[in-house]
């Protein structure tokens, strides 16, 4: 199963107990996954579609318990090999008007009386807003496997729906954004911390733990990579410096003669030539008497400067 499927299975594990929250959850499902048709004489046809058998059973249970209606569940094969099913819950036509009224999906100011946005009365309480988001996610939401990236989204049927979902999400400071995708509108979150917050609001605590574990592993891997890159850069820098120092000392040896250097610089030059890959600390330990890294670095810089000046004097 996909990560999205796991999250949805967790969300539907427990049925709402409060009617207001059940109505908000059904509202969210029907807004994003419902299909309404005008039959004339003020009558409507209503169905809700899902690819999850578990979600279909959950919608049926909510409808029966809180709306007093038992929708007909129709299963359809949607792949060529018949290995994938889609489910449609069709509500009795004589009950649709009452259902739409109860769930505040009707608005006489809108075309055909169908509400395009979200009723403020259905999401007036915090518990109801969370329930609405659960329904919207169950009906048209998805979540990437966090091992491949952090992306959670809600697919809406209209711009008004998308703006309403975005507004509710951002009441929790989740930084949700909306983008048009073909004939649909998608509200999405990208940051792992925001997604974790939303999953917590939805009641998907196991999913939160799974995402946290992935994030910890990713952070550890990134830390290791940064350390490796840092060490690699340091090794490369040290190797380049050593090669530059050796080249300068060899130039002085061949054009000036190391015997003409001061005792301290001559010893430094000889130690570097004999230990071309040694670090500054290792070179310091080889000096007599031993000296610190800063002292070694200072003498090597003086040798490089002498070589540079000699080249300048010779016009090289």
């Amino acid at each position: 199963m996909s990560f999205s499927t796991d999250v949805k299975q967790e969300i539907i594990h427990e049925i709402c107990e409060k009617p207001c929250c059940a109505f908000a959850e059904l509202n969210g499902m029907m807004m994003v996954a419902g299909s309404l048709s005008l039959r004339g004489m003020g009558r409507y046809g209503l169905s809700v579609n899902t690819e999850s058998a578990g979600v279909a059973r959950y919608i049926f249970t909510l409808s029966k318990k809180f709306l007093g209606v038992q929708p007909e569940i129709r299963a359809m094969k949607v792949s060529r090999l018949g290995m994938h099913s889609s489910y449609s819950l069709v509500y009795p036509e004589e009950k649709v008007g009452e259902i739409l009224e109860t769930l505040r999906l009707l608005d006489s100011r809108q075309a055909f009386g169908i509400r395009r946005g979200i009723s403020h009365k259905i999401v007036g309480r915090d518990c109801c807003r969370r329930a609405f988001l659960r329904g919207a996610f169950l009906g048209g939401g998805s979540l990437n496997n966090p091992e491949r990236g952090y992306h959670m989204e809600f697919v809406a049927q209209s711009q008004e729906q998308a703006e309403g979902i975005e507004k509710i999400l951002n009441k929790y400071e989740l930084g949700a954004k909306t983008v048009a995708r073909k004939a649909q509108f998608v509200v999405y979150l990208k940051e792992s911390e925001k997604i974790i917050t939303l999953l917590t609001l939805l009641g998907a605590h196991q999913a939160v733990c799974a995402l946290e574990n992935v994030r910890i592993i990713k952070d550890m891997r990134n830390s290791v990579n940064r350390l490796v890159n840092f060490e690699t850069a340091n090794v490369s820098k040290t190797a380049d410096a050593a090669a530059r120092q050796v080249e300068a000392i060899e130039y002085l040896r061949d054009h000036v003669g190391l015997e003409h250097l001061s005792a301290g610089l001559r010893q430094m030059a000889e130690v570097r030539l004999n230990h071309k890959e040694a670090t500054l600390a290792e070179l310091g330990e080889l000096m007599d008497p031993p000296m610190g890294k800063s002292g070694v670095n200072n003498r090597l810089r003086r040798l490089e400067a002498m070589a540079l000046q000699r080249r300048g004097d010779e016009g090289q």
Side-chain angles (χ1 to χ4, degrees):
M1 292 191 296
S2 68
F3 197 74
S4 283
T5 301
D6 291 341
V7 174
K8 291 180 180 181
Q9 287 298 120
E10 183 179 0
I11 291 174
I12 64 177
H13 185 68
E14 294 185 8
I15 290 283
C16 282
E17 294 298 332
K18 298 168 64 176
C20 63
C21 293
F23 293 155
E25 193 164 358
L26 284 166
N27 178 287
M29 292 178 192
M30 292 185 181
M31 286 199 73
V32 301
S35 177
L36 273 171
S37 57
L38 186 62
R39 301 292 173 82
M41 301 299 291
R43 296 170 68 88
Y44 299 91
L46 171 64
S47 62
V48 180
N49 305 303
T50 177
E51 295 183 353
S52 167
V55 172
R57 289 192 295 269
Y58 184 71
I59 297 173
F60 179 90
T61 302
L62 283 182
S63 299
K64 181 180 178 181
K65 182 175 181 179
F66 294 98
L67 296 176
V69 176
Q70 298 187 50
E72 177 187 355
I73 301 180
R74 299 175 183 175
M76 299 164 286
K77 299 296 182 181
V78 295
S79 68
R80 290 183 179 180
L81 300 178
M83 298 297 290
H84 183 61
S85 296
S86 176
Y87 303 89
S88 180
L89 290 90
V90 181
Y91 289 80
E93 189 173 310
E94 66 275 11
K95 294 288 187 178
V96 172
E98 180 182 343
I99 292 171
L100 297 179
E101 190 69 41
T102 300
L103 300 182
R104 300 189 182 279
L105 290 167
L106 292 178
D107 187 344
S108 59
R109 297 170 297 179
Q110 301 287 346
F112 305 110
I114 303 301
R115 186 183 299 277
R116 294 178 60 82
I118 301 170
S119 169
H120 296 295
K121 293 182 179 180
I122 206 76
V123 292
R125 301 176 180 177
D126 180 67
C127 61
C128 294
R129 284 193 290 271
R130 298 186 185 200
F132 172 85
L133 291 174
R134 283 197 302 271
F137 182 75
L138 291 172
S142 64
L143 176 60
N144 280 8
N145 186 325
E147 293 182 358
R148 295 197 295 269
Y150 303 117
H151 183 88
M152 187 172 185
E153 67 180 36
F154 297 77
V155 177
Q157 297 187 28
S158 70
Q159 185 173 355
E160 291 86 351
Q161 287 181 11
E163 290 173 350
I165 293 172
E166 178 183 333
K167 184 176 181 179
I168 293 173
L169 289 170
N170 288 337
K171 282 183 178 291
Y172 300 101
E173 300 181 352
L174 296 178
K177 297 181 180 179
T178 299
V179 63
R181 184 188 295 167
K182 298 182 180 179
Q184 297 174 319
F185 294 86
V186 177
V187 186
Y188 66 91
L189 307 179
K190 282 288 189 182
E191 298 178 31
S192 61
E193 290 185 2
K194 306 296 187 184
I195 292 173
I196 287 173
T197 299
L198 178 53
L199 290 174
T200 302
L201 292 172
L202 299 181
H205 302 294
Q206 293 180 17
V208 168
C209 292
L211 199 151
E212 285 279 23
N213 288 338
V214 170
R215 189 170 67 165
I216 290 171
I217 293 172
K218 279 188 173 183
D219 288 345
M220 290 179 61
R221 187 182 299 128
N222 290 337
S223 295
V224 170
N225 287 338
R226 283 194 295 270
L227 287 173
V228 169
N229 291 337
F230 179 75
E231 290 296 331
T232 300
N234 277 346
V235 169
S236 178
K237 183 179 179 181
T238 300
D240 290 343
R244 189 178 64 248
Q245 294 156 5
V246 168
E247 192 274 336
I249 293 169
E250 289 177 340
Y251 179 84
L252 291 174
R253 180 195 61 193
D254 297 340
H255 293 78
V256 178
L258 298 184
E259 66 275 10
H260 296 294
L261 299 177
S262 66
L265 289 180
R266 182 171 67 252
Q267 184 189 16
M268 185 75 262
E270 291 172 347
V271 169
R272 171 46 93 190
L273 287 178
N274 293 328
H275 303 86
K276 295 180 179 180
E277 297 181 358
T279 65
L280 295 182
E282 291 169 342
L283 291 175
E285 293 175 359
L286 293 169
M287 296 292 287
D288 185 18
M291 60 192 307
K293 289 171 56 177
S294 61
V296 171
N297 189 50
N298 180 56
R299 290 189 181 183
L300 289 172
R301 285 181 180 277
R302 289 171 61 189
L303 289 168
E304 286 188 78
M306 291 175 63
L308 182 62
Q309 182 178 3
R310 177 75 180 189
R311 284 192 175 99
D313 293 342
E314 295 181 354
Q316 295 186 22

